[in-house]
């Protein structure tokens, strides 16, 4: 759904690409812009300095853009996945809550995560002995290794094992169990490769069976704003409630996503730490300070607004392959 277009005086002139070079057109400034359709009647766009790379794999279309407001941005299937200026918000929220709530996490399995940022945050934890990152798309992993300098050190860390495979197949074939399993998957979009990894059957018969006693699962769960949380966030939350005893939804604003984003953490052991206890564990366990997340921030993130809480309390839909929900957009094979 994402498009590169030239705009003059606020009006789109089509999909002409000029590599971010501003031009003069009848006295007006003309620039190259990235535009993403968030909803049927709502689009989000920002100016580009340049288009660094575009390509396509068997599964997805890939682009790396140098944007004026957000720095380098990774775009997959027309959906912005990560932007240089604020990706730390997403990845700190995804990684640190489950690891901090676990008494001593040593081994972690990442479903997806080809960008390398989730591995980077995990490897900051002093207790970690091994991280397995399993992404289906070798081209995305290679692309990110080449272009995302911030994660080069993580990819070179001997504690990281990178596997190219479907996460379900990989988890089912392994005998090893994990302290934490992380779902850093692409959004569930129609025609995309990942929606089957948000289903009740997958959580119950694959993920849960590969968690050690006291283990914690966390997944990114899509947009969680006032109007967007009904797309997939509430359904993913309700689905996990059918599988795990304790389920904690939380959210944060990510500027480059133009929305509040959601995550859901689940376990059969209580997920209960105060802000003060989280801060103590951060100081003891994590190398360098977080830029975004601390104890008070997580307490705030897990205190959802009234309208979102009401939807989550009343949600009845369970995510299955036959009754899947999707965010707005289409994958390569839709």
């Amino acid at each position: 759904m994402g498009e590169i277009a030239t705009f003059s005086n606020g009006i789109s002139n089509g999909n002409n690409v000029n590599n971010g070079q501003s031009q003069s057109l009848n006295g007006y400034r003309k620039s190259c812009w990235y535009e993403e359709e968030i909803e049927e009647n709502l689009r989000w766009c920002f100016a580009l300095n340049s288009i660094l790379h575009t390509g396509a794999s068997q599964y997805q279309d890939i682009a790396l853009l140098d944007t004026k407001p957000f720095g380098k941005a990774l775009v997959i299937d027309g959906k912005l996945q990560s932007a240089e200026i604020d990706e730390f918000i997403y990845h700190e929220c995804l990684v640190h809550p489950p690891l901090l709530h676990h008494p001593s996490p040593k081994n972690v399995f990442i479903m997806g995560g080809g960008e390398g940022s989730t591995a980077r945050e995990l490897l900051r934890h002093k207790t970690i002995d091994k991280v397995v990152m399993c992404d289906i798309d070798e081209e995305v992993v290679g692309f990110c290794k080449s272009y995302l300098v911030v994660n080069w050190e993580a990819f070179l860390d001997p504690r990281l094992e990178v596997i190219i495979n479907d996460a379900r197949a990989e988890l089912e074939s392994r005998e090893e169990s994990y302290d934490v399993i992380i779902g850093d998957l692409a959004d569930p979009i129609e025609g995309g490769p990942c929606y089957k990894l948000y289903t009740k059957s997958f959580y119950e018969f694959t993920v849960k069976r590969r968690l050690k006693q006291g283990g914690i699962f966390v997944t990114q769960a899509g947009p969680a704003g006032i109007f967007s949380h009904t797309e997939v966030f509430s359904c993913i939350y309700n689905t996990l409630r059918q599988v795990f005893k304790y389920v904690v939804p939380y959210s944060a604003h990510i500027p480059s996503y133009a929305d509040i984003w959601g995550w859901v953490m689940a376990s059969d052991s209580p997920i209960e730490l105060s802000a003060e206890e989280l801060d103590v564990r951060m100081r003891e366990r994590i190398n360098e300070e977080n830029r975004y997340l601390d104890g008070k921030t997580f307490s705030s993130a897990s205190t959802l607004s009234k309208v979102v809480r009401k939807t989550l309390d009343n949600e009845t839909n369970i995510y299955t392959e036959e009754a899947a929900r999707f965010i707005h957009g289409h994958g390569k094979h839709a």
Side-chain angles (χ1 to χ4, degrees):
M1 300 297 287
E3 297 178 351
I4 308 298
T6 54
F7 283 76
S8 177
N9 200 27
I11 301 172
S12 173
N13 291 316
N15 295 327
N16 301 314
V17 174
N18 60 9
N19 292 323
Q21 299 301 313
S22 297
Q23 302 173 1
S24 176
L25 181 66
N26 297 328
Y28 295 111
R29 184 177 176 83
K30 185 178 179 182
S31 297
C32 188
W33 291 71
Y34 169 75
E35 180 181 89
E36 181 176 318
E37 187 172 284
I38 298 173
E39 299 173 10
E40 186 174 352
N41 297 311
L42 178 63
R43 292 191 173 193
W44 163 242
C45 62
F46 40 84
L48 301 180
N49 291 313
S50 62
I51 301 163
L52 298 175
H53 187 81
T54 60
S57 73
Q58 176 185 351
Y59 303 100
Q60 301 161 122
D61 293 320
I62 313 161
L64 185 66
L65 310 177
D66 182 8
T67 77
K68 291 186 178 181
F70 301 119
K72 292 178 183 176
L74 177 67
V75 177
I76 294 179
D77 276 343
K79 292 290 183 181
L80 190 146
Q81 302 296 309
S82 179
E84 186 176 27
I85 199 169
D86 63 3
E87 57 87 4
F88 68 93
I89 303 173
Y90 171 94
H91 290 103
E92 287 184 13
C93 286
L94 176 69
V95 168
H96 299 305
L99 263 72
L100 292 168
H101 281 90
H102 193 283
S104 182
K106 297 186 182 302
N107 67 334
V108 180
F109 188 97
I110 309 169
M111 303 188 301
E115 173 189 352
S117 298
T118 295
R120 180 197 71 213
E121 291 300 315
L122 284 167
L123 293 166
R124 292 175 54 209
H125 282 253
K126 299 173 184 177
T127 63
I128 290 296
D129 294 329
K130 183 178 181 181
V131 174
V132 178
M133 185 185 89
C134 180
D135 198 289
I136 196 171
D137 200 328
E138 186 172 14
E139 302 224 7
V140 168
V141 175
F143 180 90
C144 294
K145 277 185 177 181
S146 298
Y147 288 97
L148 300 183
V149 178
V150 68
N151 295 332
W152 281 357
E153 187 174 340
F155 278 114
L156 294 173
D157 194 303
R159 292 173 293 170
L160 177 64
E161 177 186 6
V162 178
I163 302 291
I164 304 301
N165 197 4
D166 173 76
R168 181 199 293 256
E170 188 65 28
L171 278 172
E172 290 176 348
S173 68
R174 285 178 170 249
E175 297 183 0
E176 187 177 9
S177 296
Y178 299 90
D179 296 313
V180 176
I181 296 176
I182 295 179
D184 186 17
L185 300 162
D187 300 319
I189 59 175
E190 193 169 359
C194 294
Y195 78 92
K196 295 179 182 180
L197 304 187
Y198 291 91
T199 60
K200 179 177 182 289
S201 62
F202 176 63
Y203 293 150
E204 185 172 11
F205 299 117
T206 302
V207 170
K208 192 170 183 177
R209 290 180 178 181
R210 283 292 170 263
L211 282 173
K212 295 179 182 177
Q213 184 174 0
I216 299 175
F217 173 66
V218 67
T219 182
Q220 79 90 11
I226 295 297
F227 301 115
S228 60
H229 69 280
T230 57
E231 288 184 319
V232 295
F233 180 59
S234 61
C235 180
I236 292 170
Y237 165 74
N238 186 54
T239 302
L240 284 165
R241 281 201 305 178
Q242 314 307 309
V243 178
F244 291 94
K245 188 174 181 180
Y246 301 95
V247 180
V248 177
Y250 55 103
S251 63
H253 177 244
I254 301 180
S256 63
Y257 288 2
D259 206 348
I260 305 292
W261 212 255
W263 302 265
V264 184
M265 190 165 45
S267 179
D268 281 338
S269 298
I271 304 173
E272 299 174 331
L273 286 177
S274 68
E276 292 74 19
E277 289 170 320
L278 285 170
D279 284 335
V280 168
R281 288 192 175 184
M282 286 184 202
R283 289 193 295 270
E284 291 175 347
R285 296 186 185 183
I286 302 176
N287 292 316
E288 302 179 357
E289 285 190 24
N290 288 335
R291 296 172 62 187
Y292 178 79
L293 193 76
D294 63 5
K296 287 184 178 179
T297 303
F298 181 74
S299 295
S300 174
S302 55
T303 305
L304 304 175
S305 67
K306 179 181 178 180
V307 65
V308 176
R309 292 198 312 271
K310 187 174 181 180
T311 300
L312 267 58
D313 288 343
N314 295 322
E315 180 64 76
T316 59
N317 189 274
I318 296 171
Y319 208 109
T320 66
E321 291 186 26
E322 297 74 28
R325 286 189 184 178
F326 304 104
I327 70 166
H328 186 74
H330 295 284
K332 185 174 182 179
H333 301 294

